Amino acid sequence: MLTEIGLAAPEDIRAVVPLTGGVASDIARVDLPGRSVAVKFALPKLKVAADWHAPVHRNRAEYEWLRVAAQAAPGIAPKLYGRSEALHGFALEFIAGDDVWLWKAGLLEGRRDAGQAASVGDLLGRVHAASVTRGFDREPFANRDDFHALRLEPYLLYTAQAHPGQAERLTRLAADLYRAETVLVHGDVSPKNILFRDAGPILLDAECATMGDASFDLAFCLNHLAIKALHLPQTRADLLASVLRLWGAYRPHVTWEDAAALEARVCALLPALMLARVDGKSPVEYLDDAGRDRLRAISLTLLPAPPRSLSEFTEQFAHRLEDPS
């Protein structure tokens, strides 16, 4: 592929080192004279226990999201070096260094927020806002069926099968997200996909990119912070405060709708996604059985009557963590 896109000749390749961490793509570091680059190829079947397939042409949507994001919020995406349509792969900047760290690892190590949550909220808001400007090219992001395969079916609809009493609610949430096409959604705004370099965030893995509902990106990210608040009582208060910091930095960018209405949809989606990280196709890996049971119970309590604001959500979530009864 590197030869096809004009980046290197075969004899220039010194080493190819597979990289771990993702379940949807094969990723490797390629060492060239004087530098290294990363290459990424979409997989037709994801590397999880459940049977989970997705179209490989999603690789184009990811490449286009990274390109758009870099224009809307410089520094938020790695540099791009070219893409192969035939191989469903592309080359991008290999990001490494002593000043680079993964947000997920930092959170699990107990690292407290020093502006990271707000910076993610601010830059995500910039990308969403750029996608509602006049003249924005939506054509590369007409990917609602891919989004269904990668997000709605494995998270909400699969979880609905495990909880018939909540199936109607989860199905309705999925249907609303499928119909939406307001902003450019990344689809996997997770701490595992966010690096920090020089205190600024870099978003990776936009394979689910589509025109959709901004609430998904927000809820998907805040969900991870909430679950870690359950898992890490020593930094619980800081993690729940980070939920509000992220939203507070994002909210000023909301021009396409009433911000309170968007916030209410985020709150409605959060318990559904929390439940999906227990009983969906991609269960959270760091919770033990007791933690999963606790998360399931809280999710099922909040799902029928979710709070309308994130301040209410964090208060109720914290209360249920302190008093499970």
Side-chain angles (χ1 to χ4, degrees):
M1 183 185 75
L2 297 184
T3 301
E4 178 187 338
I5 65 176
L7 192 61
E11 59 270 21
D12 294 329
I13 298 174
R14 301 290 185 261
V16 178
V17 181
L19 302 176
T20 60
V23 300
S25 298
D26 278 334
I27 311 171
R29 187 191 79 223
V30 180
D31 296 333
L32 303 172
R35 65 168 173 164
S36 296
V37 301
V39 294
K40 184 172 185 179
F41 300 89
L43 294 172
K45 184 182 185 301
L46 279 64
K47 294 178 281 187
V48 296
D51 191 24
W52 186 353
H53 296 261
V56 292
H57 63 243
R58 67 187 187 273
N59 183 268
R60 177 181 178 239
E62 177 175 18
Y63 190 83
E64 290 299 318
W65 187 95
L66 293 170
R67 183 185 61 78
V68 167
Q71 295 174 352
I76 196 176
K79 297 175 184 175
L80 299 173
Y81 300 130
R83 178 178 178 272
S84 169
E85 181 70 27
L87 297 174
H88 302 291
F90 61 86
L92 68 161
E93 176 186 8
F94 177 69
I95 300 172
D98 294 339
D99 63 335
V100 176
W101 55 283
L102 184 67
W103 200 19
K104 177 181 178 179
L107 293 173
L108 290 175
E109 291 165 3
R111 190 167 186 163
R112 294 181 182 272
D113 185 37
Q116 287 83 25
S119 64
V120 170
D122 175 55
L123 292 182
L124 181 62
R126 292 178 187 275
V127 175
H128 285 179
S131 70
V132 299
T133 57
R134 180 173 299 183
F136 179 77
D137 184 9
R138 292 170 163 239
E139 187 277 330
F141 307 110
N143 304 316
R144 65 177 60 188
D145 289 335
D146 296 353
F147 184 72
H148 184 279
L150 285 162
R151 286 293 171 262
L152 302 182
E153 192 282 327
Y155 282 82
L156 300 179
L157 299 179
Y158 187 86
T159 303
Q161 297 175 32
H163 296 278
Q166 297 298 328
E168 181 180 356
R169 189 177 306 276
L170 293 168
T171 301
R172 185 168 64 249
L173 286 170
D176 290 344
L177 290 167
Y178 181 79
R179 287 193 298 267
E181 52 182 7
T182 307
V183 306
L184 174 56
V185 170
H186 176 284
D188 200 1
V189 183
S190 161
K192 73 178 176 60
N193 292 329
I194 301 175
L195 297 171
F196 280 91
R197 177 174 58 185
D198 297 330
I202 304 167
L203 267 67
L204 309 172
D205 292 350
E207 296 186 7
C208 308
T210 186
M211 298 306 297
D213 187 333
S215 68
F216 188 86
D217 276 348
L218 288 161
F220 201 83
C221 187
L222 298 178
N223 179 42
H224 286 273
L225 298 180
I227 295 174
K228 287 173 178 61
L230 181 155
H231 180 59
L232 302 167
Q234 67 273 23
T235 54
R236 179 171 296 161
D238 187 63
L239 285 161
L240 293 179
S242 294
V243 169
L244 302 182
R245 294 184 193 114
L246 192 151
W247 168 247
Y250 176 92
R251 181 174 178 143
H253 298 288
V254 181
T255 59
W256 55 89
E257 65 172 303
D258 176 62
L262 172 57
E263 185 178 13
R265 293 201 308 280
V266 173
C267 292
L269 189 53
L270 268 168
L273 291 176
M274 290 193 301
L275 187 61
R277 295 312 307 274
V278 180
D279 296 320
K281 286 187 177 181
S282 182
V284 63
E285 82 285 358
Y286 51 79
L287 292 181
D288 58 16
D289 288 343
R292 286 189 287 271
D293 288 344
R294 200 171 183 192
L295 182 60
R296 183 185 293 112
I298 294 173
S299 303
L300 289 171
T301 299
L302 292 174
L303 190 56
R308 300 278 304 173
S309 73
L310 285 164
S311 61
E312 292 177 34
F313 170 83
T314 55
E315 289 174 7
Q316 292 188 29
F317 191 75
H319 174 72
R320 285 174 169 81
L321 288 177
E322 297 302 327
D323 182 14
S325 61

